[in-house]
Amino acid sequence: IYASFGYTRNAWSDVVNKINHGLLDFTSVVTHQFDISKWQEAITIMEDRDQVRAKVLIRVGKGE
């Protein structure tokens, strides 16, 4: 799992709260979405430097 950390705990809490309340739109940031069963395809896209992508989202639970 690749991640980056550069903000305070309070900043992350604020972002998570906004996400949970639908106040942030990530449609232009998340370029690919995969169910957990397709994790290998997601990793392949993340590793492919020639692939156009921003963020790759792997869903680990049932979403709405």
Side-chain angles (χ1 to χ4, degrees):
I1 297 176
Y2 297 98
S4 61
F5 298 94
Y7 296 95
T8 66
R9 182 182 186 133
N10 288 338
W12 279 112
S13 178
D14 183 47
V15 169
V16 169
N17 186 46
K18 288 178 180 175
I19 291 169
N20 288 340
H21 288 92
L23 300 174
L24 296 176
D25 179 12
F26 290 103
T27 55
S28 64
V29 177
V30 177
T31 56
H32 296 78
Q33 296 186 38
F34 297 92
D35 289 326
I36 190 68
S37 63
K38 297 191 180 203
W39 65 269
Q40 289 175 313
E41 186 178 347
I43 298 296
T44 298
I45 286 177
M46 285 189 287
E47 293 176 336
D48 184 356
R49 299 292 180 199
D50 295 326
Q51 175 75 27
V52 176
R53 83 258 186 260
K55 297 293 182 187
V56 177
L57 174 70
I58 301 175
R59 291 184 296 270
V60 295
K62 292 186 178 189
E64 295 179 35

